Amino acid sequence: MSGESSSNQGGETEERKICANGGSVQTETVEAKLDAGNIDEAESALREGLSLNSEEARALLGRLEYQRGNVEAALGVFEGIDLEDAIQRLQSCSTEKIHKKSGLSGPHLGANLVLEAIYLKTKSLQKLNRIKDAAEECKRVLDAVEKIFPQGIPEAFVDTKLQETISRAVELLPQLWAEAGSYHEAIASYRRALLTHWNLDNDSCARIQTNFAVFLLYGGIEAVSPSTATQVDGTYNPKSNIEEAILLLMICMRKFSLGKAKWDPAVVEHLTFALSLCNQTPILAKQMEEVIPGVIHRVDLWKNLALCFSAIGHRKTALDLLKKALHKHEKPDDITSLLLAAKICSEDSSFAAEGIEYAHRAVSCSKNGNEHLQGVCLRVLGLCYGKQASISASDYERSRLQSEALKSLDEAITFDPENSDLVFELGIQYAMQRNLNNALRLAKQYIDATGGSMLRGWRLLALILSAQQRFQEAEVVTDAALDETAKWDQGPLLRLKAKLRIAQSRHLDAIETYRHLLALIQAQKKSYAPLHSTHQIEDDRVNEYEVWQGLANLYSSLSRWKDAEICLGKARAIIECSSETLHTEGTIYQRRGEIDEALATYVNSLLIEATYVPSKICVGAIMSNRGLAMLPVARTLLSDALRLEPTNRMAWLHLGFVHKLDGRLSDAIDSFQAASMLEESDPIESFNSIL
């Protein structure tokens, strides 16, 4: 094998030599001739000293110039090399037995020198920013190798210089095409690299797979599925960029878990992104659990697994993992774990109190950090306070928690005033506390900040206007939002528009809007059926069950009993037995004057869901009309309803009637006053529906 060798003579001087075919030439001698511009003399010295032909000598000269950093000079030397002649010579002896220890010699040595020269020519062109020319030259190397070894590179070449050159060229070519903007050629080269028998080692193959996955994920071009001609029977054929990228990254993860390739943390990051796009975080969790212990620090592993489980709604599991990460013997002050735990708690009222504790710890830990991080901690703290306030049984405690929520969010916005999400969350908090003027200001600010591109901003604005009893203006806002919203995303707006029309006693217009909404749902089903289940469509777009429920309630209010029952039947076809459906059935009975049947149906609704507030209120109202003996029962039910929904106007109204019948006039006046105030600020839909 040719190359430069160094030897230390008695520890005094270091000699540099070029060796090949059992001979050697002093490197300094060749360099001196090159520096003097005597390229022919330098070539002659190598030919005579190393028994090389002209092309092999020029290959060595070019490599020497490249190693010295003389890229343009190296390119000039490489230009005259004949690759075809080298291919023919190597083809003629490609079947000869090659010993790994002895390496290449004779014709093999010459052909390898020429192939390496073309590869270095590629690198020279790349350094000179002639990317497309570099890609063409790199392709010449691989085309040549395929001519020499049509059945694949023999195992005997694995440890040779030739194999090293081939591996580098295979890895470089797709990157060059991508850099040149020839994306389809890049994709073809990546697939060629992975499907052709190049004898690549596991680390090289893993790097190519990772680079290809990165290109598919972030390249901005949709790759055509692999040709069926290249597929093996029974193998999986990916149908999109994301599917192919996930497949490649999971293959890499498998190699890591088996210890066949060097660990690359970037693979986990890319796989996390790809699987998150598909809502497949459980698969990501499984991949992480299979990683060899010690490769990922256990605290980082727990955090990543917590993210995976929280993404699919398994909050308890996620919190248990984070508690392990925050144990006093692990990293109790890790701000990422604290923030994630607090964020998960802020999404579930049953964990809200625990979330406040995590958020306070995060705020304390962030005080020595940057202002942005402190703002994030305060924001999560405000959300936890707001969630805890929503379930507080005490008016005083609820008021205190709401004040703390506003205080934290107001402070957070001083650190990050341009954060539109924070503006929205602060607007929601003001709206839920019926501070409608501030809520309206923030809703408009959010729409301006997002350019009207976010559906939730329009919905918040319309709900605030409806809470101010400005129904016509709210409908104008809803129509404006519909104009700005893609067809598939219009479901929540159409439902809101129907309710606004009902509030204005425009019942026929509301029915027409509901019909439009149902047509949209049917179109979505047909469009998304091959890719998604019905349940997924409803989660992402609009809930068909709620539409039928809304129509049933509307027909019931118009005493169109048959139409109402048909709509309830449609709702039951989607969810066979639910508190909401039974409650609607109960209202139909009640409006018909069938009170006993209505009461029985409301009770059945509560048996399914004990915390269903509308049924609690209706049962309480019916019981209050059944004599003084039933007033304590009615009071308990209505008080419990207010514990669950403190701003429920109907609960306050009926509680006022109970107090009046019981002779507690002062309490009755307070309850009626609360109901009156809430009626003046009651939105057409709950503000929580936007969250």
Side-chain angles (χ1 to χ4, degrees):
M1 181 178 286
S2 67
E4 290 190 12
S5 63
S6 301
S7 62
N8 193 302
Q9 302 295 330
E12 297 176 2
T13 60
E14 186 180 88
E15 292 187 356
R16 296 165 55 238
K17 296 180 180 180
I18 302 175
C19 304
N21 293 332
S24 64
V25 175
Q26 293 288 337
T27 304
E28 291 181 356
T29 303
V30 179
E31 288 178 340
K33 295 180 184 296
L34 289 172
D35 291 339
N38 298 324
I39 297 176
D40 291 339
E41 292 182 16
E43 180 185 326
S44 178
L46 289 176
R47 289 173 60 187
E48 294 172 4
L50 303 177
S51 302
L52 301 175
N53 62 31
S54 177
E55 288 181 343
E56 294 163 353
R58 289 183 72 84
L60 280 177
L61 285 177
R63 186 177 72 180
L64 181 59
E65 287 283 44
Y66 182 84
Q67 290 171 340
R68 294 169 71 199
N70 300 329
V71 178
E72 292 188 4
L75 187 60
V77 174
F78 289 139
E79 288 290 356
I81 295 176
D82 185 357
L83 179 61
E84 291 301 320
D85 182 62
I87 293 171
Q88 291 175 3
R89 281 188 283 114
L90 192 52
Q91 274 181 317
S92 65
C93 53
S94 62
T95 56
E96 294 179 10
K97 188 175 181 181
I98 297 177
H99 299 284
K100 293 182 181 181
K101 291 184 179 179
S102 62
L104 299 175
S105 60
H108 294 97
L109 168 63
N112 177 61
L113 284 174
V114 174
L115 286 174
E116 184 190 28
I118 303 301
Y119 173 75
L120 292 178
K121 181 180 179 183
T122 296
K123 295 294 291 181
S124 300
L125 289 166
Q126 184 186 23
K127 289 187 176 184
L128 294 172
N129 207 31
R130 294 169 56 184
I131 306 300
K132 191 166 184 180
D133 291 338
E136 295 289 354
E137 288 297 330
C138 193
K139 186 174 181 297
R140 287 181 67 201
V141 174
L142 299 182
D143 289 344
V145 172
E146 283 197 321
K147 278 187 178 180
I148 297 167
F149 305 111
Q151 303 303 318
I153 303 170
E155 292 289 337
F157 282 86
V158 168
D159 293 334
T160 65
K161 186 71 175 177
L162 175 63
Q163 179 64 59
E164 183 182 336
T165 301
I166 293 168
S167 297
R168 289 177 177 176
V170 168
E171 198 168 338
L172 178 62
L173 180 57
Q175 297 177 29
L176 289 173
W177 282 126
E179 193 177 345
S182 302
Y183 301 124
H184 291 293
E185 287 84 352
I187 292 168
S189 297
Y190 274 122
R191 288 178 177 154
R192 179 188 186 187
L194 296 172
L195 294 173
T196 305
H197 186 61
W198 298 112
N199 256 345
L200 301 175
D201 61 58
N202 282 322
D203 286 331
S204 296
C205 191
R207 281 196 302 271
I208 293 170
Q209 288 167 332
T210 303
N211 290 337
F212 188 19
V214 169
F215 180 83
L216 290 169
L217 287 174
Y218 316 114
I221 181 171
E222 186 64 33
V224 179
S225 296
S227 170
T228 53
T230 64
Q231 298 296 302
V232 179
D233 289 343
T235 59
Y236 174 70
N237 186 17
K239 299 175 181 63
S240 68
N241 281 25
I242 293 179
E243 284 190 13
E244 191 166 1
I246 289 172
L247 179 62
L248 291 164
L249 293 169
M250 288 180 70
I251 290 171
C252 290
M253 290 291 289
R254 185 64 177 165
K255 289 178 181 176
F256 299 152
S257 65
L258 295 174
K260 291 184 177 181
K262 185 180 178 182
W263 170 253
D264 181 2
V267 171
V268 176
E269 295 175 10
H270 299 310
L271 187 58
T272 300
F273 172 74
L275 289 171
S276 297
L277 289 177
C278 307
N279 296 320
Q280 294 295 329
T281 52
I283 296 175
L284 177 63
K286 185 175 185 298
Q287 290 293 312
M288 288 184 175
E289 287 172 338
E290 291 179 354
V291 173
I292 298 173
V295 171
I296 303 177
H297 191 282
R298 59 180 176 274
V299 172
D300 294 329
L301 179 60
W302 291 330
K303 284 192 290 187
N304 287 331
L305 290 175
L307 275 170
C308 293
F309 286 113
S310 67
I312 57 172
H314 293 181
R315 298 188 182 97
K316 182 67 169 62
T317 304
L319 283 175
D320 288 342
L321 287 163
L322 290 170
K323 286 175 184 176
K324 293 170 69 174
L326 292 167
H327 191 274
K328 63 181 180 179
H329 297 309
E330 297 295 344
K331 293 183 178 180
D333 296 327
D334 181 57
I335 197 164
T336 306
S337 298
L338 288 169
L339 270 176
L340 179 55
K343 181 67 171 66
I344 292 170
C345 291
S346 74
E347 297 167 352
D348 191 329
S349 56
S350 59
F351 299 125
E354 192 177 346
I356 291 173
E357 180 189 346
Y358 288 129
H360 270 300
R361 287 168 59 185
V363 170
S364 298
C365 294
S366 69
K367 286 183 178 177
N368 297 326
N370 59 49
E371 290 188 349
H372 171 74
L373 191 58
Q374 192 172 350
V376 172
C377 296
L378 286 165
R379 174 186 175 186
V380 177
L381 177 60
L383 295 176
C384 289
Y385 271 127
K387 186 63 74 172
Q388 180 68 11
S390 68
I391 60 168
S392 177
S394 162
D395 289 341
Y396 171 77
E397 183 66 10
R398 181 169 58 255
S399 178
R400 185 188 69 81
L401 291 169
Q402 288 175 339
S403 296
E404 290 291 345
L406 285 177
K407 178 183 174 183
S408 298
L409 291 173
D410 274 325
E411 193 174 350
I413 212 165
T414 62
F415 289 103
D416 195 2
E418 303 300 321
N419 190 325
S420 60
D421 290 334
L422 189 50
V423 171
F424 176 81
E425 288 159 357
L426 188 56
I428 282 281
Q429 286 298 322
Y430 274 120
M432 292 173 71
Q433 296 181 39
R434 300 303 191 265
N435 189 334
L436 298 179
N437 289 331
N438 277 331
L440 186 65
R441 172 180 58 81
L442 289 164
K444 290 178 178 178
Q445 183 180 334
Y446 178 75
I447 290 173
D448 289 340
T450 57
S453 62
M454 301 300 292
L455 176 63
R456 64 180 186 174
W458 292 105
R459 288 182 65 197
L460 176 59
L461 180 57
L463 286 179
I464 294 169
L465 290 170
S466 75
Q468 294 178 328
Q469 310 304 302
R470 296 156 66 180
F471 298 117
Q472 287 186 341
E473 292 177 60
E475 189 172 349
V476 169
V477 166
T478 305
D479 286 334
L482 286 167
D483 291 338
E484 297 292 329
T485 306
K487 180 182 177 182
W488 293 141
D489 298 325
Q490 290 179 350
L493 291 170
L494 289 170
R495 185 176 57 211
L496 179 60
K497 184 174 180 178
K499 292 181 179 181
L500 287 169
R501 288 180 163 181
I502 293 171
Q504 299 172 72
S505 299
R506 295 164 54 195
H507 299 110
L508 294 179
D509 289 340
I511 291 171
E512 186 60 33
T513 304
Y514 272 128
R515 286 174 177 167
H516 186 184
L517 181 52
L518 288 170
L520 175 63
I521 292 170
Q522 294 303 318
Q524 286 175 345
K525 281 184 176 180
K526 291 178 181 178
S527 177
Y528 285 83
L531 302 175
H532 304 282
S533 70
T534 302
H535 179 68
Q536 287 175 314
I537 296 170
E538 291 172 358
D539 283 348
D540 295 341
R541 304 293 179 183
V542 65
N543 192 317
E544 182 181 358
Y545 170 78
E546 290 182 3
V547 178
W548 288 115
Q549 280 289 142
L551 266 174
N553 279 318
L554 176 53
Y555 283 129
S556 173
S557 68
L558 298 174
S559 300
R560 293 172 58 173
W561 313 120
K562 186 176 181 180
D563 289 332
E565 288 170 357
I566 290 172
C567 291
L568 275 182
K570 295 285 188 180
R572 286 196 189 94
I574 298 171
I575 301 178
E576 185 175 355
C577 191
S578 75
S579 293
E580 192 172 1
T581 305
L582 285 168
H583 177 79
T584 303
E585 185 179 354
T587 60
I588 293 174
Y589 283 128
Q590 191 170 6
R591 284 167 179 160
R592 285 175 175 173
E594 302 170 15
I595 304 303
D596 289 339
E597 290 82 355
L599 180 60
T601 309
Y602 290 141
V603 170
N604 287 336
S605 171
L606 291 173
L607 289 174
I608 293 175
E609 186 180 346
T611 58
Y612 189 66
V613 170
S615 291
K616 278 184 180 289
I617 295 170
C618 288
V619 173
I622 291 173
M623 298 304 287
S624 69
N625 293 324
R626 297 209 164 180
L628 294 176
M630 292 291 105
L631 291 182
V633 176
R635 187 185 305 111
T636 300
L637 287 165
L638 294 167
S639 297
D640 194 41
L642 285 170
R643 179 185 63 81
L644 295 167
E645 288 186 17
T647 58
N648 192 299
R649 175 176 61 87
M650 295 305 296
W652 282 111
L653 180 63
H654 288 293
L655 185 60
F657 287 129
V658 170
H659 286 318
K660 181 181 177 182
L661 291 170
D662 204 20
R664 306 165 74 169
L665 297 182
S666 178
D667 290 338
I669 290 170
D670 289 341
S671 296
F672 287 140
Q673 189 174 15
S676 178
M677 291 174 63
L678 286 169
E679 185 177 15
E680 294 174 0
S681 60
D682 211 17
I684 206 72
E685 282 183 1
S686 168
F687 290 114
N688 283 325
S689 66
I690 309 177
L691 298 176

